[in-house]
Amino acid sequence: VTPDYQADEVTLYHGDCRAVLPTLPGASFDLVFTDPPYPEIDRPYGRLTEAQWFDLMRAVVPEVRRVLKPKGSAVFVLQPNSERVGRMRTWLWDFLAWVGREWGIVQDAWWRNHNAMPCGGSNTHGLLRASLKACVWCGPPDCYRDQGKVLVPPNRRTPDRTRLQERKRELRSYPGGIAKDGLKILAASAQRGGATPFNVITVGGGSPPERRERRGHPAGTPIALCDWWLRYLCPPGGAVLDPFAGSGTTGVAALRQGKTFVGIEKESAYIDIARKRLAEVHGPLFAPREVTADG
Ligand SMILES: C[S@@+](CC[C@H](N)C(=O)[O-])C[C@H]1O[C@@H](n2cnc3c(N)ncnc32)[C@H](O)[C@@H]1O
């Protein structure tokens, strides 16, 4: 398959990822980060039944695994949904069980959208505001990760060394275990310049400027979420793949971090958006097919 747009650090394929993935070389990516379509949701790019969605994922996941380097891993962002108010669909948990059994989930991780709007019965039927998406992180147990790149920056809860001395006096009056552990945690985070991150990544759903930048993709992924996972799981200068690239947000994050990017997207309108966004970071992307046709 010929790439549709290419430059040194970035390649875009316009097509179904089920057709393109088998043409990519094995063991060639450090990270696959992707926000795929979800089943039973109406989108301008189509609606998949649960059965169609599983067919898609059963084709894509083994290919994703094949193209990853031995220490590479993949993150699939997935939002659960409901059959009707008060009855959730089980596809997310079925997927977790399947992929966990067949491949391996490194750790459960979740994205919390702190500005998710109340909807789907949360106001009218007294349900809770849905604000979590699963970040299904698959790979070998010893896959590459660098916690140092995603430490929670010091704040009032992670005092610097001077404030640590004051806190020591305070904490001594607590029951032994708590004081000891509390001190250990505070000392470790003061030394490392930040605290161990939680497995819930809190990122807003996309500011109006960010939505404008996506210029018409209806289900874009917040760049802060892509940025966080790419810093954590992709080594410096590494290679990132997104088989459901949409408006190219994963690619923008990759290029800004000095990493290379390959994106696959089936809708030409979104490929155009991705091409423009990536060109703004990278410089022009060429279209080999057009060049060949023009001679
Ligand atoms: C949730 S969106 C991805 C959003 C993207 N991360 C962004 O920020 O714009 C899912 C994308 O997958 C694309 N898609 C769905 N099925 C596909 C397939 N079989 N092959 C390639 N792309 C597909 C859709 O057109 C859609 O753009």
Side-chain angles (χ1 to χ4, degrees), residues 15-18 35-38 45 56 214 217 219-221 242-250 264-267 270 277:
D16 190 315
C17 62
R18 283 169 289 197
D35 187 358
Y38 313 140
Y45 46 84
L56 173 67
R214 289 200 291 264
H217 192 288
T221 314
D242 185 347
F244 300 99
S247 63
T249 316
T250 308
I264 310 167
E265 167 56 50
K266 75 176 174 65
E267 299 290 331
Y270 307 149
R277 289 181 79 194

Side-chain angles (χ1 to χ4, degrees), residues 210 213-215 221 223 247-250 252 255-256 272-282:
E210 197 182 323
E213 201 193 312
R214 289 200 291 264
R215 298 179 193 101
T221 314
I223 191 144
S247 63
T249 316
T250 308
V252 173
L255 295 181
R256 283 185 187 158
D272 288 344
I273 301 172
R275 182 189 188 184
K276 283 189 195 117
R277 289 181 79 194
L278 293 165
E280 275 163 23
V281 188
H282 179 276

